[in-house]
Amino acid sequence: MLKREIYLSRIRGFYDSDLIKILVGIRRCGKSVILKQIMNEIKEKGVQEDHILYINFELVEFEELKDYKKLNYYIKEKIHDDKKYYVFLDEIQNVKKFEVVVNSLRASLENISIFITGSNSKLLSNELSTVLSGRYVLFNIYPLTFKEYIELTGNDPKNEESFWDYLKWGGLPNRVQFTDEVNIKDYLHSVFDSIILRDVVERLGLKDITLFNLILQYLIDITGREFSANNIIGYLKNEGRIISTETLYKYLDALCKALIVEKIYRYDIHGKAILKTLNKYYMTDLGIAQIKNNNFEINKSFAIENVVFNELLARGYEVYIGKLNPGEIDFMATKSGEKKYFQVAYLLNDERVVEREFGAYKTINDNYPKYVLSMDKTDFSQNGIIHKNIIDWLL
């Protein structure tokens, strides 16, 4: 079992905290495995088995506990002394009013540490923030990074075939069990169908799956490019679907809530402000993009850009498009007062491309690190701008 240290290292400091620990991520990205690894570490500290409660709401044996009052009663019945109890509630979005339960438990019991996971962004909603009012800490969990993929598969990290496999089929952990493309596709389709059924149809009530797929396919086609509502409405019209802007944004919101895509905003580097217009969308997992793609092959340049975006999120950065006047930087990443800039290219194969990628930094006069990432193995670093091979950077 791959130990997901990239997340455990951030969560450990909160094991005994009374803050509610929330782990959110797309289905099958490995949240349950992380919970079990936390449980193992807690056991290694000498905590007895009966002081660790694990409930997975996707299992039939816990079906009755989807009633929030029964869940509250069940947990309280398990607490017999003043020692610390650790409660793990897996895929808790299946419980209506779950936020009432976790808040009540936290408020009424001083000897309890609660961990919850979920597969849709209700766990990120303002409603949850209001009920828990700052009494929680959130950890976004993503599919495997390339480094984790290499550790899990044992593949040669310097073999570019491993990178292209990761780029094509994504980082959902269970998909690496399969080597046959038909089996990989079948697995990814099953994951996607479960997301549609549970997180879109059941919870969000959007039953027009054809429209949902058309919008997703369009977003895959324009990955890394500015989003335009008018353009997508025009595309749908050509496909025989007339929809309003309001309906379009309802479906886009559903894609984001199901954690299939991530929206990224622009940041005005000189004006120091987040801009809400001309945002972009990236795929949470490129394997899902592959099976829903209209074209035979996904554009490698934009797929590489998507991998860099996902990697920055996994490393804990807030990520924006860096707006300049004129032009833009692919990514501006910030964390704990630290800031980094990234330009991403497939290959720096002629002087024009080199000038475009390095020249994008000309009007940025601060001293924060500036990177150009590409598949090239020759070091093109110049004028204080660091060039790195993408595979080396990911590792």
Side-chain angles (χ1 to χ4, degrees):
M1 186 186 292
L2 173 71
K3 195 157 190 177
R4 303 203 67 187
E5 191 62 30
I6 193 171
Y7 303 111
L8 291 170
S9 62
R10 297 176 203 159
I11 303 170
R12 281 192 189 102
F14 296 93
Y15 282 5
D16 293 320
S17 169
D18 66 347
L19 294 174
I20 297 160
K21 281 68 68 177
I22 304 177
L23 283 65
V24 183
I26 191 172
R27 286 186 181 277
R28 304 293 170 257
C29 72
K31 300 182 299 298
S32 298
V33 168
I34 293 173
L35 279 194
K36 288 171 183 174
Q37 290 175 350
I38 294 170
M39 290 163 62
N40 287 337
E41 290 192 357
I42 288 170
K43 287 176 189 174
E44 288 169 2
K45 288 166 54 180
V47 176
Q48 296 173 327
E49 290 267 1
D50 63 351
H51 282 62
I52 298 173
L53 309 179
Y54 174 74
I55 302 169
N56 185 337
F57 293 101
E58 293 195 322
L59 301 180
V60 174
E61 51 261 48
F62 297 116
E63 186 76 26
E64 285 190 2
L65 298 184
K66 290 181 181 178
D67 179 315
Y68 75 99
K69 290 182 180 178
K70 289 182 180 178
L71 175 62
N72 186 65
Y73 179 79
Y74 175 86
I75 293 172
K76 286 195 169 181
E77 281 289 293
K78 296 287 184 181
I79 295 176
H80 302 298
D81 56 44
D82 293 332
K83 292 181 181 177
K84 179 76 78 174
Y85 283 77
Y86 300 85
V87 177
F88 297 85
L89 305 174
D90 205 355
E91 297 295 353
I92 200 170
Q93 77 277 353
N94 292 298
V95 180
K96 289 184 179 177
K97 295 189 176 180
F98 70 82
E99 60 272 25
V100 176
V101 179
V102 295
N103 195 42
S104 175
L105 290 169
R106 189 210 60 79
S108 61
L109 299 168
E110 293 183 358
N111 61 330
I112 190 170
S113 178
I114 302 172
F115 300 77
I116 67 177
T117 77
S119 298
N120 68 44
S121 62
K122 183 179 180 187
L123 276 76
L124 308 176
S125 68
N126 290 332
E127 174 189 354
L128 182 62
S129 300
T130 301
V131 174
L132 300 183
S133 58
R135 299 184 184 96
Y136 67 93
V137 57
L138 181 74
F139 302 95
N140 288 298
I141 309 298
Y142 299 97
L144 300 176
T145 65
F146 180 62
K147 185 176 181 180
E148 288 179 319
Y149 160 85
I150 290 296
E151 290 172 358
L152 187 60
T153 59
N155 290 350
D156 180 357
K158 296 300 182 182
N159 184 341
E160 285 193 8
E161 284 185 19
S162 298
F163 178 71
W164 296 121
D165 177 76
Y166 175 77
L167 197 82
K168 183 174 184 177
W169 297 117
L172 293 180
N174 285 339
R175 79 89 178 160
V176 304
Q177 299 175 49
F178 311 106
T179 54
D180 184 89
E181 287 202 356
V182 173
N183 293 336
I184 295 172
K185 285 180 181 178
D186 287 345
Y187 171 71
L188 292 172
H189 276 293
S190 73
V191 173
F192 182 76
D193 290 345
S194 73
I195 293 170
I196 294 299
L197 177 64
R198 298 178 185 182
D199 295 333
V200 177
V201 174
E202 287 183 10
R203 293 198 183 86
L204 301 175
L206 303 184
K207 294 183 170 60
D208 191 339
I209 303 305
T210 303
L211 179 59
F212 188 88
N213 276 307
L214 283 170
I215 293 171
L216 176 58
Q217 286 164 0
Y218 182 85
L219 292 181
I220 293 168
D221 288 342
I222 65 157
T223 295
R225 282 164 279 184
E226 288 178 352
F227 172 80
S228 163
N230 289 335
N231 287 349
I232 192 170
I233 287 171
Y235 160 79
L236 292 170
K237 186 177 180 180
N238 290 335
E239 297 291 324
R241 303 300 301 264
I242 308 297
I243 68 165
S244 66
T245 303
E246 181 182 359
T247 300
L248 170 62
Y249 278 104
K250 185 178 180 182
Y251 277 79
L252 288 170
D253 186 53
L255 278 163
C256 291
K257 282 183 175 175
L259 306 176
I260 297 171
V261 300
E262 293 262 0
K263 182 192 288 188
I264 175 172
Y265 292 103
R266 295 187 306 151
Y267 183 90
D268 186 338
I269 292 173
H270 297 309
K272 298 186 178 357
I274 297 172
L275 307 172
K276 298 294 185 182
T277 59
L278 299 176
N279 49 277
K280 296 181 182 180
Y281 290 90
Y282 288 94
M283 295 296 297
T284 302
D285 182 73
L286 284 168
I288 299 294
Q290 182 65 37
I291 62 166
K292 303 310 294 183
N293 185 29
N294 270 327
N295 305 314
F296 180 70
E297 287 288 342
I298 287 178
N299 183 302
K300 285 183 177 178
S301 295
F302 289 118
I304 288 171
E305 196 174 300
N306 204 138
V307 165
V308 171
F309 173 70
N310 290 345
E311 178 73 21
L312 289 168
L313 293 180
R315 292 183 185 186
Y317 287 94
E318 287 185 39
V319 188
Y320 302 94
I321 304 157
K323 180 191 174 294
L324 298 167
N325 191 16
E328 69 179 33
I329 300 298
D330 288 332
F331 302 120
M332 185 190 82
T334 64
K335 178 172 65 174
S336 304
E338 173 190 10
K339 185 187 294 183
K340 294 179 179 179
Y341 300 102
F342 295 88
Q343 281 288 92
V344 185
Y346 178 24
L347 289 169
L348 303 174
N349 50 9
D350 63 49
E351 283 300 320
R352 287 176 302 169
V353 179
V354 172
E355 172 56 30
R356 182 186 71 213
E357 301 302 330
F358 285 86
Y361 291 116
K362 281 182 179 176
T363 63
I364 304 179
N365 297 318
D366 62 38
N367 293 317
Y368 293 110
K370 300 168 181 67
Y371 293 88
V372 173
L373 306 178
S374 76
M375 293 297 294
D376 299 277
K377 294 178 180 176
T378 303
D379 188 347
F380 287 89
S381 299
Q382 55 187 265
N383 302 323
I385 300 166
I386 305 160
H387 172 251
K388 273 189 172 288
N389 173 269
I390 286 175
I391 294 175
D392 289 342
W393 179 77
L394 290 169
L395 293 171

